[in-house]
Amino acid sequence: MIKILFLGDVVGRPGRQAVRRYLAEVLSEQNFDLVIANGENASGGLGLEPTSATELYASGVNVITSGNHIWNKKDIIDFLEQNKPRLIRPYNYPVGAPGAGVLKYKLPSRLNVCVINLIGRVFLETIADCPFRAIDKLLNEELANESLIFVDFHAEATSEKMAMGWYLDGRVSALVGTHTHVQTADERIFPKGTAYITDVGMCGPRNSVIGAEAGVVVERFLSGRPLRYEVARGEMQINGIIMSLDEESGKALSIERINSNLPL
Ligand SMILES: [Fe+2]
Ligand SMILES: [Fe+2]
């Protein structure tokens, strides 16, 4: 059995600190074959600095996925090129985009877990190829002989994520949604064995609007002015998913949702 922990979008320094505290505790009690976190908001709430990626690795994260904010910090471009095995960006960005969108993570048992990052096209200002056709080709060609496949589908629309879940049922071990920072309560295993949740949520400040200082966001809506977001402080939340997979078939055996508060 393969056990995977996935953590939703880590928001800013408070989010990184919360992940460090959470992993220190949980990794002392449970063994995971693979810990994955979405890091697209890990630096200042927008983007990922190489130093923040290194900090997440040091906390126990093995692989970092991302999303539309991966390009916000320019230093990440070189890092993406140099650290392909540990950090990925959405696979369906146009050909030639820096970095990679899929990685084969080798477990100590020498089994591969393939981690794929995809980005949606509905309600997202991004230029990307069709995620359905992109992953179809990837699964049929490069990953045709792989059975343990985890997908982080970074998308806004619940329908696009759910449609992808059904499209990939039985073809990947797990498909989890990210990007909205709001956790959905629909975790399940689809009929052909794919673990699914529409959105994992975020690791960051609970008293916030998707990680940002609530007062500033409210003022933006009231005034229409593009005020600068600040990452909120205070009590932290950890949102994630724990999955177990059958190592022979790659099918999901269980999916459990994590939504916990970290005391200050
Ligand atoms: Fe995000
Ligand atoms: Fe995002």
Side-chain angles (χ1 to χ4, degrees):
M1 191 177 81
I2 305 290
K3 209 167 157 195
I4 298 176
L5 167 64
F6 178 84
L7 297 171
D9 300 31
V10 180
V11 180
R13 181 182 299 169
R16 299 197 309 270
Q17 289 170 343
V19 164
R20 185 171 64 218
R21 281 172 59 203
Y22 175 76
L23 286 179
E25 192 180 314
V26 81
L27 296 180
S28 70
E29 294 164 356
Q30 299 184 57
N31 283 324
F32 292 99
D33 297 285
L34 177 57
V35 178
I36 309 168
N38 187 302
E40 71 146 11
N41 305 102
S43 298
L46 292 173
L48 178 67
E49 294 280 10
T51 48
S52 301
T54 306
E55 198 181 314
L56 288 173
Y57 298 143
S59 299
V61 172
N62 303 117
V63 173
I64 303 175
T65 57
S66 61
N68 53 311
H69 290 304
I70 185 62
W71 314 118
N72 284 60
K73 305 281 193 270
K74 67 178 187 331
D75 289 350
I76 206 64
I77 305 296
D78 280 351
F79 193 80
L80 265 169
E81 293 286 356
Q82 293 159 11
N83 291 272
K84 279 180 192 169
R86 307 283 302 279
L87 167 65
I88 54 175
R89 47 78 177 163
Y91 178 76
N92 52 321
Y93 273 133
V95 172
V102 57
L103 73 86
K104 293 182 183 180
Y105 186 84
K106 202 170 275 302
L107 302 177
S109 62
R110 307 202 61 74
L111 280 172
N112 281 333
V113 179
C114 299
V115 184
I116 304 168
N117 201 178
L118 287 178
I119 195 161
R121 300 194 298 181
V122 179
F123 303 139
L124 258 177
E125 278 181 47
T126 191
I127 293 173
D129 298 336
C130 171
F132 293 85
R133 291 185 177 87
I135 194 164
D136 200 39
K137 190 168 185 308
L138 180 64
L139 294 176
N140 286 339
E141 296 176 7
E142 196 181 328
L143 304 185
N145 297 319
E146 303 290 344
S147 58
L148 293 162
I149 301 173
F150 175 91
V151 185
D152 171 352
F153 186 24
H154 197 79
E156 179 75 38
T158 50
S159 61
E160 192 178 18
K161 289 187 263 195
M162 203 172 279
M164 184 65 84
W166 283 104
Y167 187 61
L168 297 183
D169 183 24
R171 301 173 70 195
V172 303
S173 309
L175 178 125
V176 305
T178 57
H179 176 69
T180 70
H181 295 198
V182 177
Q183 188 177 72
T184 56
D186 61 341
E187 76 278 12
R188 60 174 291 187
I189 297 175
F190 278 140
K192 293 180 185 166
T194 296
Y196 174 82
I197 184 168
T198 298
D199 207 293
V200 176
M202 69 164 185
C203 296
R206 180 171 288 282
N207 297 318
S208 69
V209 176
I210 63 172
E213 182 69 52
V216 176
V217 183
V218 170
E219 189 53 34
R220 279 177 66 117
F221 280 109
L222 287 173
S223 68
R225 287 185 294 143
L227 302 170
R228 231 178 93 94
Y229 295 120
E230 294 289 336
V231 175
R233 300 271 156 181
E235 190 183 16
M236 292 293 136
Q237 68 180 44
I238 294 290
N239 283 175
I241 284 290
I242 293 175
M243 287 150 287
S244 60
L245 313 176
D246 181 82
E247 60 187 67
E248 293 291 319
S249 65
K251 306 252 184 250
L253 302 171
S254 67
I255 176 167
E256 178 195 340
R257 184 162 50 89
I258 303 158
N259 179 17
S260 56
N261 284 354
L262 286 188
L264 285 172

